[in-house]
């Protein structure tokens, strides 16, 4: 991987994404009053021009997506630079390990249990069956295009990240690794099961591709192929390191490198060649893999407000549980800074609001591990809840309104982004 200056996204005065520029040029524009800096929802430092650009021509910039069941990878790649890498933590299937936070699947099961309990309690069983307060039958209003909520939640998070990237990069193409499940003999794969069936993963994949087509041209990549253009083969050709032992590791070597390889297939291909005396295969095209901003992206672990309990409380009084609001100005998911002075030293803690107790706010890190409870009077809001939790360079370890630095904070460690 080459060491290059990280590229800074640039947008026009009207908000149209332009080609990224160098960090030194971006700082010079800001100093001369030709541009203003801002942070997008992914924690990427960008600049917006304050004058009409001399040209708006763009080169090919490709987004590579490696969707997964628990973790996904998304990267932005051009022919000369790697612009962005991310590790996506999706919460559709499994709960957060070591905590009581459930995934989408477990939440749906608990919701259906509460619904059955409510319907059972409102029925007067002393009356005849025909006179009971049963709802009418609803068997003719079903649609055959239902998508599992857990899969929908995973794909929606990936679509959200790509849509945010499309606002700051002139994306020309989106490449998605295609999944093909062994459902029946029609799948065309060896060892496929017999009989009819379908795969919810493939249904979610088709839905995701349909949604992404409104952003840019979508190209599907069959990464399992061994014809030289498979994801693992392209990754080895680009000399990218892969960690196969711990997929939960929040590092580029787990899933982001696969996304980079998928995006790079737009610029390099393994093609056969024929001459008068020889024949074989050769790599065609060029692409440069460089240092890039790396982010770990997930969603706030906020429990929805519970309107009903499985067991009714005494006197019909239901305790507060869940919800996104607090009695203070802050809401759950907001980026909060706590500052206090003790023994002549200023203590600062930055984290996400995850709840409250009395007059104190609970702050958590990007992995939603609680940092502690802090007085609301000594907290201030840095950024409102965007529906995303970002961990990585410059976010949330420092103020979003200032350029990134190499200084470590009380929350964690930050490295220079530009």
């Amino acid at each position: 991987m080459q060491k290059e200056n990280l590229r800074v996204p640039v947008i026009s005065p009207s908000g149209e994404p332009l080609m990224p520029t160098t960090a030194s040029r971006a700082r010079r524009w800001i100093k001369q009053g030709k541009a203003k800096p801002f942070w997008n929802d992914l924690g990427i430092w960008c600049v917006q021009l304050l004058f009409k650009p001399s040209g708006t021509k763009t080169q090919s910039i490709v987004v590579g997506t490696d969707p997964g069941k628990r973790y996904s990878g998304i990267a932005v790649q051009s022919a000369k630079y790697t612009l962005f890498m991310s590790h996506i933590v999706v919460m559709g299937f499994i709960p957060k390990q070591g905590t009581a936070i459930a995934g989408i699947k477990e939440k749906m099961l608990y919701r259906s249990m509460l619904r059955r309990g409510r319907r059972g309690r409102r029925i007067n069983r002393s009356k005849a069956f025909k006179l009971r307060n049963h709802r009418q039958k609803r068997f003719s209003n079903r649609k055959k295009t239902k998508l599992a909520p857990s899969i929908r939640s995973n794909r929606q998070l990936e679509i959200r990240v790509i849509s945010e990237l499309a606002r700051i990069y002139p994306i020309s193409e989106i490449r998605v690794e295609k999944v093909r499940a062994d459902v029946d003999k029609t799948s065309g794969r060896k060892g496929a099961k017999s009989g009819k069936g379908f795969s919810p993963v493939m249904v979610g994949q088709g839905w995701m591709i349909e949604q992404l087509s409104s952003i840019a041209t979508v190209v599907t990549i069959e990464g399992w192929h061994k014809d030289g253009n498979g994801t693992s083969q392209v990754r080895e050709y680009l000399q990218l390191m892969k960690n196969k032992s711990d997929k939960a590791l929040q590092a580029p070597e787990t899933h982001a490198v696969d996304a980079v390889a998928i995006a790079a297939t737009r610029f390099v291909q393994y093609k056969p060649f024929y001459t008068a005396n020889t024949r074989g295969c050769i790599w065609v095209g060029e692409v440069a893999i460089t240092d890039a901003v790396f982010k770990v992206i997930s969603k706030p672990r906020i429990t929805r407000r519970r309107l009903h309990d499985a067991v009714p409380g005494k006197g019909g009084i239901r305790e507060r549980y869940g919800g996104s609001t607090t009695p203070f100005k802050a809401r759950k998911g907001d980026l909060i800074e706590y500052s206090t002075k003790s023994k002549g030293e200023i203590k600062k803690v930055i984290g996400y609001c995850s709840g409250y107790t009395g007059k104190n706010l609970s702050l958590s890190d990007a992995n939603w591990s609680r940092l502690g409870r802090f007085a609301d009077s000594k907290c201030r809001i840095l950024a409102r809840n965007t529906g995303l939790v970002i961990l990585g360079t410059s976010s949330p370890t420092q103020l979003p309104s200032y350029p990134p630095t190499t200084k470590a904070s009380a929350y964690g460690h930050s490295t220079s982004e530009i």
Side-chain angles (χ1 to χ4, degrees):
M1 181 179 292
Q2 301 179 8
K3 290 186 177 181
E4 298 284 350
N5 292 330
L6 303 184
R7 260 36 190 180
V8 177
V10 181
I11 64 174
S12 66
S14 60
E16 179 184 0
L18 305 174
M19 290 299 295
T21 186
T22 60
S24 59
R25 181 180 297 175
R27 289 192 293 264
R28 186 168 63 251
W29 284 345
I30 296 172
K31 187 176 181 180
Q32 296 174 354
K34 296 182 179 180
K36 62 178 181 179
F38 70 96
W39 296 82
N40 77 334
D41 289 349
L42 299 180
I44 303 175
W45 194 70
C46 317
V47 294
Q48 183 177 13
L49 297 179
L50 300 178
F51 63 94
K52 185 178 180 180
S54 58
T56 58
K57 292 184 179 180
T58 59
Q59 304 172 10
S60 296
I61 293 182
V62 182
V63 174
T65 307
D66 179 25
K69 182 177 181 180
R70 296 177 174 88
Y71 309 98
S72 301
I74 294 178
V76 182
Q77 178 72 43
S78 67
K80 296 182 178 180
Y81 300 98
T82 304
L83 302 175
F84 177 78
M85 295 186 295
S86 64
H87 176 95
I88 312 296
V89 181
V90 293
M91 295 294 295
F93 289 89
I94 60 173
K96 185 176 183 294
Q97 296 181 358
T99 67
I101 301 175
I104 301 298
K105 183 178 179 181
E106 288 73 18
K107 290 181 180 179
M108 297 298 293
L109 293 175
Y110 188 71
R111 190 182 74 172
S112 63
M113 182 188 69
L114 294 178
R115 184 172 59 246
R116 287 194 300 268
R118 292 196 307 272
R119 290 174 180 171
R121 288 194 296 268
R122 67 181 176 83
I123 294 176
N124 187 356
R125 301 186 184 278
S126 62
K127 296 183 179 180
F129 184 82
K130 293 183 179 181
L131 301 178
R132 293 178 185 176
N133 189 18
H134 288 288
R135 69 177 185 180
Q136 297 180 356
K137 297 179 180 179
R138 301 185 302 180
F139 298 114
S140 59
N141 63 346
R142 298 295 187 262
K143 297 181 180 180
K144 296 183 179 180
T145 57
K146 182 179 179 181
L147 184 61
S150 54
I151 298 177
R152 179 185 292 271
S153 174
N154 293 351
R155 304 290 85 86
Q156 282 179 339
L157 179 56
E158 296 162 0
I159 294 172
R160 168 71 189 281
V161 173
I162 295 176
S163 63
E164 293 294 338
L165 293 173
R167 295 182 179 181
I168 57 176
Y169 293 111
I171 296 174
S172 59
E173 189 175 282
I174 301 174
R175 298 208 157 209
V176 182
E177 187 177 48
K178 189 176 181 181
V179 178
R180 180 177 293 181
D182 288 326
V183 290
D184 53 32
K185 292 182 178 180
T186 60
S187 63
R189 297 182 65 182
K190 294 182 179 180
K193 300 177 181 179
S194 59
K196 297 181 180 181
F198 75 99
S199 171
V201 176
M202 295 178 65
V203 175
Q205 174 183 258
W207 178 82
M208 176 182 174
I209 293 174
E210 181 181 356
Q211 301 297 319
L212 291 177
S213 61
S214 61
I215 301 176
T217 303
V218 180
V219 177
T220 57
I221 305 298
E222 296 181 342
W224 66 85
H225 280 184
K226 301 299 181 181
D227 57 353
N229 292 309
T231 302
S232 61
Q233 295 168 319
V234 176
R235 186 181 65 241
E236 292 176 359
Y237 170 72
L238 298 176
Q239 299 181 356
L240 296 174
M241 299 296 294
K242 173 68 174 180
N243 186 343
K244 298 181 180 180
S245 59
D246 185 9
K247 291 188 176 182
L249 181 65
Q250 297 178 353
E253 293 78 17
T254 51
H255 301 280
V257 290
D258 287 337
V260 172
I262 293 171
T265 57
R266 167 65 176 79
F267 307 102
V268 292
Q269 296 88 28
Y270 192 67
K271 295 183 178 180
F273 71 91
Y274 303 93
T275 62
N277 300 323
T278 60
R279 64 179 60 183
C281 296
I282 190 174
W283 287 97
V284 179
E286 293 183 358
V287 65
I289 308 300
T290 61
D291 293 336
V293 176
F294 174 73
K295 303 287 184 181
V296 179
I297 304 174
S298 61
K299 296 172 65 176
R301 277 74 159 178
I302 299 176
T303 304
R304 295 183 62 183
R305 186 166 64 94
R306 184 176 296 176
L307 300 177
H308 305 275
D309 290 333
V311 180
K314 294 183 179 180
I317 299 176
R318 183 175 63 250
E319 296 182 356
R320 174 186 59 85
Y321 185 84
S324 60
T325 61
T326 67
F328 317 106
K329 293 183 179 180
R331 296 191 292 263
K332 293 182 182 179
D334 293 349
L335 188 62
I336 306 295
E337 180 194 51
Y338 169 78
S339 178
T340 185
K341 188 175 182 180
S342 176
K343 297 181 181 180
E345 296 182 358
I346 298 178
K347 176 185 177 182
K348 288 187 177 182
V349 177
I350 298 179
Y352 292 94
C353 178
S354 57
Y356 70 94
T357 302
K359 297 182 179 181
N360 298 329
L361 289 176
S362 297
L363 300 185
S364 301
D365 61 10
N367 292 320
W368 222 248
S369 297
R370 191 163 64 182
L371 301 173
R373 296 188 180 97
F374 306 93
D376 172 72
S377 60
K378 298 181 181 180
C379 295
R380 70 185 185 99
I381 301 173
L382 300 180
R384 284 296 186 181
N385 181 14
T386 61
L388 298 174
V389 172
I390 310 297
L391 173 64
T393 307
S394 311
S395 178
T397 58
Q398 59 188 26
L399 303 182
S401 58
Y402 292 95
T405 63
T406 58
K407 183 179 180 181
S409 69
Y411 162 82
H413 182 68
S414 175
T415 57
S416 178
E417 180 173 319
I418 62 174

